[in-house]
């Protein structure tokens, strides 16, 4: 159980233990087989004690007796069972583990800020003419960026880093890629529908059609190193 919870914290951070205890329980009952499986009764006890934030008391450094008292007052468990659960939480949040977590906090963010990253995007939409015609359009873009302002990027990612301070550089890249791609998808639709008489001029999509998004990315603390793209419209029936 301790090893499972340690691994869960590394992957998801501390907040999910309180905010989504049932997901922790679901992962517990699905984990391992045979000798490595978690006893279902123990999993249920961990679920209810997570819901009463017993782990937060242990994390703050409370004694076994204080945690036992909390568990018994919240869940009416016998003293032996309450002590077993309390000891498990004490072992989970021992000094060595807390030291490791503190040293690893936001290490992925720091690594992310040292590198350049590239996003390759392609999109599809239809240009609708004033006469009722509809023509498929395609576009692609390549964005290379670095971190120009760590404080701004940290502020932009504050919710994600608070939820899980152990996000890797690849996790952070994935979060930003999703946001950037969503922006480009929206930009493409707006650019395509900007005029129902003149067809979209895709050679100017990057720059003219992405101006607001580029400003937004810079407000996140990103520095655009290179941003290129092109597109096409299909007039064939």
């Amino acid at each position: 159980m301790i090893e499972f919870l340690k691994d869960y914290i590394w992957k998801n951070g501390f907040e999910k233990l309180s905010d989504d205890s049932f997901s922790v329980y679901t992962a517990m009952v699905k984990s391992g087989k045979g000798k490595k499986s978690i006893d279902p009764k123990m999993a249920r006890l961990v679920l209810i004690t997570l819901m009463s934030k017993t782990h937060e008391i242990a994390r703050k450094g409370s004694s076994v007796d204080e945690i036992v008292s909390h568990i018994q007052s919240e869940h009416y468990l016998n003293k032996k069972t309450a002590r077993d659960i309390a000891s498990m939480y004490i072992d989970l949040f021992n000094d060595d583990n807390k030291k490791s977590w503190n040293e690893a906090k936001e290490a992925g963010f720091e690594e992310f800020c040292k590198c350049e990253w590239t996003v390759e995007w392609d999109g599809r939409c239809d240009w609708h003419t004033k006469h009722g015609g509809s023509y498929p359009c395609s576009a692609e873009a390549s964005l290379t960026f670095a971190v120009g302002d760590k404080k701004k990027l940290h502020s932009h990612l504050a919710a994600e880093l608070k939820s899980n301070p152990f996000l890797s550089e690849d996790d952070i890249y994935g979060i930003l890629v999703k946001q950037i791609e969503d922006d480009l998808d929206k930009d493409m639709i707006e650019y395509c529908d900007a005029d129902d008489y003149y067809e979209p001029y895709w050679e100017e999509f990057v720059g003219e059609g992405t101006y607001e998004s580029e400003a937004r990315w810079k407000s996140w603390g990103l520095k655009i190193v290179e941003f290129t793209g092109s597109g096409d419209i299909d007039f064939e029936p």
Side-chain angles (χ1 to χ4, degrees):
M1 177 63 74
I2 293 172
E3 291 305 312
F4 170 84
L5 290 173
K6 279 175 60 178
D7 185 60
Y8 195 90
I9 289 168
W10 279 116
K11 292 178 180 177
N12 301 281
F14 297 106
E15 285 202 348
K16 203 166 184 179
L17 297 179
S18 300
D19 295 344
D20 195 0
S21 302
F22 195 77
S23 289
V24 185
Y25 169 75
T26 301
M28 278 189 284
V29 297
K30 290 181 178 179
S31 68
K33 292 182 179 180
K35 293 182 179 179
K36 292 185 177 181
S37 62
I38 294 174
D39 177 57
K41 291 182 180 179
M42 176 60 83
R44 290 194 291 273
L45 289 172
V46 171
L47 169 61
I48 62 171
T49 53
L50 287 176
M51 293 175 69
S52 64
K53 303 189 186 305
T54 305
H55 59 291
E56 294 185 5
I57 298 173
R59 188 181 170 196
K60 290 176 182 177
S62 298
S63 68
V64 171
D65 289 339
E66 289 172 325
I67 300 170
V68 168
S69 177
H70 170 79
I71 291 172
Q72 287 195 291
S73 67
E74 289 287 332
H75 306 295
Y76 306 104
L77 296 175
N78 65 57
K79 193 163 187 177
K80 181 184 182 305
T81 302
R83 184 166 288 276
D84 288 344
I85 296 293
S87 297
M88 185 273 292
Y89 280 121
I90 289 288
D91 287 342
L92 175 63
F93 294 105
N94 64 36
D95 289 342
D96 288 341
N97 287 341
K98 288 196 285 188
K99 181 181 178 183
S100 296
W101 286 321
N102 285 333
E103 290 175 348
K105 184 178 180 181
E106 297 192 4
F109 175 78
E110 293 297 328
E111 289 301 313
F112 180 87
C113 292
K114 297 177 183 178
C115 304
E116 287 189 357
W117 302 86
T118 298
V119 178
E120 302 288 349
W121 168 88
D122 61 81
R124 300 285 185 277
C125 69
D126 290 331
W127 174 50
H128 303 285
T129 72
K130 65 185 299 182
H131 302 296
S134 180
Y135 300 95
C137 298
S138 61
E140 59 184 16
S142 178
L143 169 67
T144 298
F145 66 88
V147 178
D149 190 321
K150 285 173 60 174
K151 288 185 178 179
K152 285 184 178 181
L153 183 60
H154 192 279
S155 178
H156 176 67
L157 296 171
E160 290 84 355
L161 290 170
K162 183 175 185 294
S163 176
N164 184 3
F166 312 121
L167 290 171
S168 69
E169 55 265 45
D170 289 334
D171 292 331
I172 293 170
Y173 172 73
I175 292 169
L176 292 175
V177 165
K178 177 63 167 59
Q179 295 173 343
I180 289 169
E181 289 180 339
D182 286 347
D183 282 344
L184 289 173
D185 289 341
K186 183 172 178 287
D187 287 342
M188 183 178 186
I189 292 171
E190 291 179 351
Y191 187 77
C192 198
D193 288 336
D195 194 310
D196 60 5
Y197 185 79
Y198 293 104
E199 66 185 78
Y201 188 57
W202 290 111
E203 286 79 358
E204 294 182 357
F205 170 62
V206 171
E208 182 178 311
T210 60
Y211 178 81
E212 291 184 1
S213 289
E214 291 181 57
R216 182 162 49 253
W217 303 335
K218 291 175 183 176
S219 75
W220 299 349
L222 303 185
K223 179 178 70 174
I224 297 175
V225 177
E226 185 177 25
F227 191 19
T228 59
S230 62
D232 195 17
I233 184 168
D234 185 3
F235 288 106
E236 295 296 325

